[in-house]
Amino acid sequence: MVGKVSERVLLREGLERTDNGMKQTSWPDVVPINQKNYYTDYMKRDDQILSLRLQGEANRDRLVQSAKDRDRALNNNANGEIPLPIDDLQGEDGPAPATTYLDPSKIIVIHPGSQNLRIGFASDALPKTVPMVLATRYSQTEAEMYEALPRRQFEARTADQQYGEEWSKKYQKMCLDLRTDMRTNKRKVLPNSKDLVINFNRRTEPEVISQHNDPLQVDWTDVNALENPDSISSVFIGQQAQRVPDDSDPKFKLWWPLQHGQFNEDDYPAKAHMFNDLETLLDRAIRWELGLKRSTEWKQYACVFVIPDLYDKKYVEQVLHQCVEWFEFNRVSFIQESMAATFGAGYTQACVVDVGAQKTSITCVEDGLVLEDSRINLKFGGYDVTETFVKMMLYDNFPYQEINLRRRYDFLLAEELKIKYCTLSQANISVQNYDFHLRAPNQPTHKYQFKCYDEVILAPMGFYDPSIFDNSTKLRGRRKLVDRSYNAYDVDVPDDPASSAQLAILALIQPSVTATTMSFSGVPLDIATPSKEKTQPFNFLSRADATPGTSNAPSPAPEGANTPVPAPYIFGSRDVNGGSPAPSVRNGGTPAPPPANGSSSMLAVPGTDLFQRSPKSLAIERDSVLPTAPLDIAIMTSIQNAAKGDEKKVRELLGSIMVIGGGAKIPHFAPFLEEKLKGRRPDLAERILVSRSAREMDEQVVVWKGASVFAKLPTNDSWITNFEYKMLGSRVVYHKALWQY
Ligand SMILES: Nc1ncnc2c1ncn2[C@@H]1O[C@H](COP(=O)(O)OP(=O)(O)OP(=O)(O)O)[C@@H](O)[C@H]1O
């Protein structure tokens, strides 16, 4: 008898049986292995993983060594000699330290940002802050190469035409809304305040102050002080770079290797150039700021590198490569920003809101671990406030109409004005008369007077209405030089980290994105309900057959409908885009729940084109959406996704919101945010608490401080050694990172 299996084999191979029932071949049938029963422990045991094996061996060696030391000490003592000092002399069953003690003064902690680099030794109380920019010799300056900022039509006759009808309407609406709000809050509002400002500014002429009468002259960088100013390898970094005169001879151009919290692919013509600049910047910072002039010494140092919560894997790999191969640090460890922030502030649980220069990240952290599905990365920050403040002032006839943030001295001036005058306190809004000094290289100082009114509050209020910011070029050049990371085993599946909170934000802007949510591996994952009970694991095919109402999972779209499933845990409504309201958990809508296993889920609606699309095209779609949303909605979304329907956790997280980052240094930032959140959840108003980090600590360095605490932890076993990197390459991060890599 020919078995069923061999019958199938015959049929598959197109072989037919002969009349007498005999096979046409005498080769024995190979019965396939029963997939259910075979077992392998390949790559499942610790001793098969190099980094874990090395760690185990190191621990064993140390135990042996400490036992030897103890014996020696006891022997010596028996002979009446003074015992050797042994730090970790412990009881028989006392835990052995997991790693060797590292001298904090031999650990360099690096936290790069879009605008500032913070760098220092783990033993330092505070880091050195260096603007994250370098100036190199170039044929044109950045002001000559790119259009002026804020973007405007210089030749247009009216202000509305100059700044665009849409933006102008939006700005005027914001002015009216603020006025109404201030009246509601019983604040004095004069009807002609704006006219006062506009008329005064129109008439103002600058006063010229000759150089010898200006005691606060800027110390411009002397490019000829370089050994060889004509060499293209001549470089300035940080403040020195920002103070290279725009009209220097030879000309220099400023380069910012990171923008919006990721590689600045837009400005660079080539990948190698960008990587080189990042390396040069860090190299010079280590030499000049930390005083480690000779690179041969660097081998004795370890490095803790701070990365974003929603990092690009390619970025992490590149940084690791630079640290090991170029700087030759003896070991490297990574920490995510929000985790470092909680270490720095000494919190065990917090919703960390980090408002930087060009990105704002929101992440909930619990017991020192990042809740992955709560991570949100929005592409706006303090820089947008600066630019919008200048734009609003220009609209209101700011007397220095030529201001262009591409020019170095103008950028520094705009930052100064924003830091001095912007506020989020309505109590301080009235017509004010201020002045400023314009100091440009090789020109006399100009003293301007100007009046301002609501611009000082409306610009930072853009955090709650980001469409007022200029978002037009923020995605430009993305993935131009560095492709997304792909799964090592399935080269078509992108595997950069995602989070359901971030996807919810993207879905607010482009609803079809919800349907494109993928897991890291690209495998469809199951979907949990907002409550703790789990539903049936999600399955592509059974999904269409699911009987509506049998689970809390969202019901599938009707056959052929092109309507995507609502995003998981989107807080608030579509009012962000003026569209129809999205379901709100609070309003009792039926939100599509987040995934159960801490990773992102996949929702695809059979019958739609998304059902057939590849993970790659879905990732491309996600990359094409700029993540921006009102800050309060984003925080609520992050917390909802962290809590996964657990109201107790929502309450806890709402009571421990911590704002950090330079962008949050605007006066009254935290109370304003608290009010906004209370408006979103009036039922929990008395539980909501927004705090800054420790009272004495600068919000801009909390993350660095936390990373330096992490560097000193004796139990930190996430160090990647030079040897491991050489053996395993970037795969080693997978075993050494304290988060899902
Ligand atoms: N006192 C202040 N008031 C208002 N804004 C401030 C103040 N000090 C700094 N800033 C703003 O903070 C921003 C820089 O913040 P920070 O150093 O945290 O950014 P970053 O880490 O470089 O950027 P990112 O997080 O976007 O990568 C700038 O926009 C700066 O104008």
Side-chain angles (χ1 to χ4, degrees), residues 550-579:
T550 51
S551 80
N552 290 344
S555 37
E559 191 76 14
N562 217 0
T563 332
V565 181
Y569 286 126
I570 300 172
F571 186 87
S573 64
R574 291 264 154 75
D575 57 2
V576 196
N577 317 314

Side-chain angles (χ1 to χ4, degrees), residues 278-295:
L278 180 64
E279 187 222 332
T280 311
L281 191 77
L282 296 177
D283 178 295
R284 299 297 190 275
I286 294 169
R287 283 175 207 272
W288 298 342
E289 299 294 330
L290 302 187
L292 301 179
K293 296 266 180 330
R294 280 179 297 147
S295 56

Side-chain angles (χ1 to χ4, degrees), residues 266-513:
D266 187 29
D267 279 358
Y268 279 91
K271 186 160 75 172
H273 186 179
M274 186 169 70
F275 291 167
N276 259 331
D277 273 7
L278 180 64
E279 187 222 332
T280 311
L281 191 77
L282 296 177
D283 178 295
R284 299 297 190 275
I286 294 169
R287 283 175 207 272
W288 298 342
E289 299 294 330
L290 302 187
L292 301 179
K293 296 266 180 330
R294 280 179 297 147
S295 56
T296 45
E297 290 172 44
W298 298 357
K299 285 197 181 96
Q300 302 159 20
Y301 288 81
C303 171
V304 168
F305 206 98
V306 184
I307 54 167
D309 301 322
L310 272 176
Y311 51 89
D312 276 348
K313 282 189 172 184
K314 283 280 164 82
Y315 170 70
V316 178
E317 287 167 11
Q318 178 60 26
V319 164
L320 178 60
H321 178 76
Q322 291 188 348
C323 288
V324 176
E325 297 286 347
W326 296 355
F327 302 135
E328 297 186 356
F329 294 134
N330 62 35
R331 56 187 72 199
V332 183
S333 179
F334 291 102
I335 181 168
Q336 285 168 290
E337 276 176 341
S338 57
M339 188 170 146
T342 52
F343 278 40
Y347 288 15
T348 47
Q349 186 186 42
C351 171
V352 180
V353 180
D354 181 354
V355 187
Q358 298 190 340
K359 71 155 207 308
T360 293
S361 64
I362 305 160
T363 303
C364 299
V365 182
E366 211 175 37
D367 299 329
L369 283 180
V370 166
L371 300 178
E372 291 181 350
D373 268 324
S374 69
R375 292 174 295 176
I376 289 181
N377 186 313
L378 304 172
K379 299 294 176 209
F380 56 67
Y383 172 79
D384 294 275
V385 177
T386 309
E387 190 186 43
T388 310
F389 177 56
V390 171
K391 195 166 173 179
M392 288 174 172
M393 286 307 310
L394 284 170
Y395 188 90
D396 293 339
N397 286 338
F398 188 57
Y400 176 35
Q401 282 284 316
E402 300 74 38
I403 190 167
N404 171 10
L405 303 192
R406 295 267 191 217
R407 281 198 297 248
R408 296 151 207 175
Y409 56 90
D410 279 350
F411 175 72
L412 294 174
L413 171 71
E415 284 273 293
E416 181 192 321
L417 294 179
K418 182 214 37 194
I419 291 174
K420 267 190 177 161
Y421 305 126
C422 279
T423 174
L424 275 163
S425 161
Q426 282 188 357
N428 298 338
I429 304 306
S430 60
V431 177
Q432 301 277 357
N433 196 351
Y434 296 125
D435 59 41
F436 67 89
H437 291 80
L438 173 67
R439 296 185 176 95
N442 305 318
Q443 284 175 39
T445 302
H446 286 71
K447 182 180 173 187
Y448 285 85
Q449 296 218 336
F450 72 102
K451 275 196 164 100
C452 60
Y453 174 55
D454 53 5
E455 304 85 355
V456 292
I457 192 168
L458 292 177
M461 274 172 68
F463 287 131
Y464 302 92
D465 186 359
S467 60
I468 197 74
F469 296 149
D470 182 356
N471 297 318
S472 59
T473 55
K474 290 182 183 174
L475 279 180
R476 201 173 60 192
R478 177 88 170 125
R479 311 282 186 205
K480 184 180 87 177
L481 304 177
V482 186
D483 196 5
R484 58 184 64 75
S485 165
Y486 289 94
N487 187 292
Y489 301 100
D490 195 344
V491 286
D492 267 342
V493 177
D495 66 351
D496 272 327
S499 84
S500 54
Q502 180 77 355
L503 286 155
I505 294 296
L506 295 180
L508 267 180
I509 301 151
Q510 190 160 313
S512 62
V513 169

Side-chain angles (χ1 to χ4, degrees), residues 111-118 129 132 258-262 337 354-361 380-384 386 411 415 418-420 422 660-667 699-701:
H111 176 206
S114 311
Q115 190 164 321
N116 294 307
L117 164 73
R118 279 150 291 246
T129 298
M132 189 73 200
L258 299 183
Q259 290 283 268
H260 308 298
Q262 59 212 16
E337 276 176 341
D354 181 354
V355 187
Q358 298 190 340
K359 71 155 207 308
T360 293
S361 64
F380 56 67
Y383 172 79
D384 294 275
T386 309
F411 175 72
E415 284 273 293
K418 182 214 37 194
I419 291 174
K420 267 190 177 161
C422 279
I660 54 165
K665 279 170 128 181
I666 290 172
E699 290 91 333
Q700 274 177 285
V701 301

